Amino acid sequence: MNHISQVISNMTTDFNGKVIKKYLCEGCGNEVTVLRMKMLFGPKKGEWFEGKRGCECEVYEIVRKEQEQAKTARLKRIFDENSLINESLKQATFENFEPNEFGQALQKAKQFVEEFDLRNPKNLFFQGSFGTGKSHLSVSIAKALQEKGFATIFISTPKLLTKIRNTYNKNSELGEEKIINAIAEADLVVFDDIGAEGEYSGWSVQKLFEVIDQRAGKPNIYTTNLTSAEFEATKDMQRIFSRMMMNSEPIIMNGTDYRKRQFLKGAKENV
Ligand SMILES: Nc1ncnc2c1ncn2[C@@H]1O[C@H](COP(=O)(O)OP(=O)(O)O)[C@@H](O)[C@H]1O
Ligand SMILES: [Mg+2]
Ligand SMILES: [Zn+2]
């Protein structure tokens, strides 16, 4: 069967081109004929040139690029449609994480991306005070993995619980089901700000346990401001904490709130 590129090539050049050589293309595996041909029309009409016939590498490359673009678009859609993320964190990347005393945390986050392997799932557990960059690094990881071809989702845990609760109130389980399914299927889920919903027992914490439990054996990232002691507060929290620690590498980030530091820096410069 003639490929379209060959047909066009036949139309625009002299059929009786002289065969110079034939070889097997390493790219597409086709037998390629190198010809000396004469242009039949166009601005270069009458000129002789060397041309190839039979090679479909360019076509394969176009198809490959299209497939890649479709995949990238799909992964972006999964992230955008299912993530629950604050506007201020959407722009966070490794590149715009300013080097500070948390350089080691940044390195560990990058290493997690490099070593990411679905067959050997590992978790990260960011713990520390408010505003030190735990969420920033988690978003950066989710994005970097997305670029590597993995489906990732970033979930603000308090927002998730509010959302689930709202769907109950409205008596429609649709919204919840969609996001719970997406969480179950993703290659990586970030559960951000665990414990920030301020409830350590009752319905919401049980629900949270269910969601996290469903991700057992898959790579996850957890972030929290709570200390280990606070996780001991209730049985439900202990269960969640024990899941979070399973197969997890802890990254402790205690320090000054980044925004406060920026503010103070600005104030100093303006004196
Ligand atoms: N090292 C840093 N470089 C640039 N921005 C940072 C850095 N650390 C924190 N931020 C920014 O400060 C804000 C608070 O950080 P965040 O990651 O939300 O803190 P945490 O999750 O630890 O409470 C975010 O907008 C984040 O992008
Ligand atoms: Mg945070
Ligand atoms: Zn080829």
Side-chain angles (χ1 to χ4, degrees):
M1 199 184 76
N2 269 352
H3 198 276
I4 186 78
S5 62
Q6 206 167 334
V7 176
I8 293 169
S9 155
N10 285 346
M11 274 161 46
T12 53
T13 56
D14 189 344
F15 264 118
N16 307 316
K18 195 172 149 230
V19 175
I20 297 175
K21 64 172 174 182
K22 291 189 178 203
Y23 68 93
L24 221 56
C25 176
E26 281 178 15
C28 60
N30 288 354
E31 189 189 61
V32 180
T33 311
V34 183
L35 300 154
R36 247 180 85 73
M37 294 176 285
K38 196 179 188 176
M39 267 297 181
L40 292 185
F41 49 80
K44 297 201 170 162
K45 185 179 171 191
E47 276 180 34
W48 287 88
F49 73 104
E50 225 171 71
K52 280 194 282 185
R53 273 195 194 149
C55 175
E56 291 181 309
C57 284
E58 280 178 30
V59 180
Y60 285 131
E61 181 59 14
I62 290 168
V63 172
R64 193 190 62 77
K65 276 210 181 118
E66 270 174 11
Q67 282 172 345
E68 204 178 272
Q69 276 166 11
K71 188 177 181 193
T72 307
R74 188 183 142 258
L75 295 177
K76 195 179 172 303
R77 206 170 50 237
I78 290 176
F79 186 90
D80 292 346
E81 286 179 4
N82 299 294
S83 291
L84 299 169
I85 180 170
N86 284 334
E87 213 49 48
S88 61
L89 278 170
K90 279 188 179 163
Q91 304 307 321
T93 61
F94 285 138
E95 285 70 36
N96 61 29
F97 187 83
E98 270 174 46
N100 52 17
E101 75 262 41
F102 299 118
Q104 212 191 343
L106 174 65
Q107 279 321 309
K108 280 186 180 170
K110 285 183 173 172
Q111 195 184 342
F112 182 83
V113 171
E114 265 163 45
E115 293 173 357
F116 190 83
D117 183 356
L118 287 172
R119 290 161 304 180
N120 181 19
K122 287 186 183 151
N123 305 318
L124 280 185
F125 179 4
F126 289 92
Q127 187 182 31
S129 51
F130 176 78
T132 52
K134 300 182 295 296
S135 300
H136 188 120
L137 287 181
S138 307
V139 174
S140 309
I141 293 172
K143 280 193 193 159
L145 284 175
Q146 195 183 310
E147 268 165 37
K148 281 182 80 175
F150 295 103
T152 65
I153 297 177
F154 183 97
I155 297 288
S156 150
T157 313
K159 278 191 182 185
L160 174 71
L161 293 171
T162 306
K163 192 181 173 99
I164 295 176
R165 201 195 291 271
N166 286 346
T167 31
Y168 279 141
N169 292 346
K170 281 180 208 142
N171 258 344
S172 78
E173 68 293 352
L174 269 171
E176 181 196 347
E177 206 170 294
K178 184 174 174 278
I179 201 153
I180 299 276
N181 286 342
I183 289 173
E185 282 165 23
D187 295 324
L188 172 104
V189 175
V190 179
F191 291 101
D192 191 45
D193 249 346
I194 293 183
E197 64 282 352
E199 285 173 55
Y200 297 167
S201 63
W203 173 84
S204 61
V205 184
Q206 265 171 32
K207 193 78 209 173
L208 179 58
F209 177 78
E210 265 172 47
V211 177
I212 289 180
D213 190 51
Q214 186 197 24
R215 290 283 310 170
K218 289 179 178 167
N220 299 307
I221 295 176
Y222 311 100
T223 90
T224 188
N225 291 330
L226 298 188
T227 61
S228 330
E230 284 168 307
F231 273 106
E232 300 298 321
T234 64
K235 269 261 169 319
D236 287 337
M237 285 307 271
Q238 282 171 22
R239 284 206 301 171
I240 292 175
F241 192 46
S242 116
R243 281 289 180 282
M244 289 163 72
M245 287 187 300
M246 226 159 61
N247 208 8
S248 263
E249 179 175 9
I251 299 181
I252 311 297
M253 297 174 80
N254 279 312
T256 316
D257 177 3
Y258 176 82
R259 283 164 295 202
K260 186 173 163 192
R261 195 182 328 203
Q262 292 303 101
F263 175 78
L264 292 176
K265 215 166 90 185
K268 226 189 212 162
E269 278 160 11
N270 286 331
V271 182

